Amino acid sequence: MTPTMLRQLWSLIENSQATTLISLDDATLVQWLIKQLKTRNSLNGKEADLINEYIQSRLSLIRDLAEERLGREPSPSV
């Protein structure tokens, strides 16, 4: 995954509605983020797979950042 792709992903996360990031279940959130990236960039299958894995590994961070933007305390990880 290129640094540009990472910047675009985190920019997307920062500019997305926090309520959306929190309300979607894990699988739906991953797919929603990938779909949003695909509308902005053309991703090949390998890039989509890499981004999928990366997002999956950062879901807790994504949700914590969204909750912080809403002024909530992050939920404890299980």
Side-chain angles (χ1 to χ4, degrees), residues 2-71:
T2 66
T4 300
M5 289 171 59
L6 280 174
R7 280 193 299 275
Q8 290 170 344
L9 172 63
W10 285 104
S11 176
L12 169 64
I13 291 165
E14 289 174 7
N15 293 310
S16 297
Q17 291 289 326
T19 52
T20 301
L21 299 175
I22 292 170
S23 66
L24 298 174
D25 64 74
D26 288 353
T28 306
L29 177 56
V30 172
Q31 292 308 309
W32 184 81
L33 288 168
I34 290 172
K35 182 179 177 184
Q36 298 300 312
L37 283 173
K38 282 183 178 179
T39 62
R40 296 170 182 177
N41 311 299
S42 62
L43 300 176
N44 64 37
K46 184 178 180 180
E47 290 170 330
D49 289 344
L50 287 171
I51 290 174
N52 184 323
E53 289 178 30
Y54 180 81
I55 294 170
Q56 295 251 358
S57 72
R58 301 301 191 280
L59 283 172
S60 293
L61 175 59
I62 292 167
R63 292 188 191 283
D64 287 350
L65 291 170
E67 288 177 352
E68 185 177 299
R69 286 186 0 220
L70 289 175

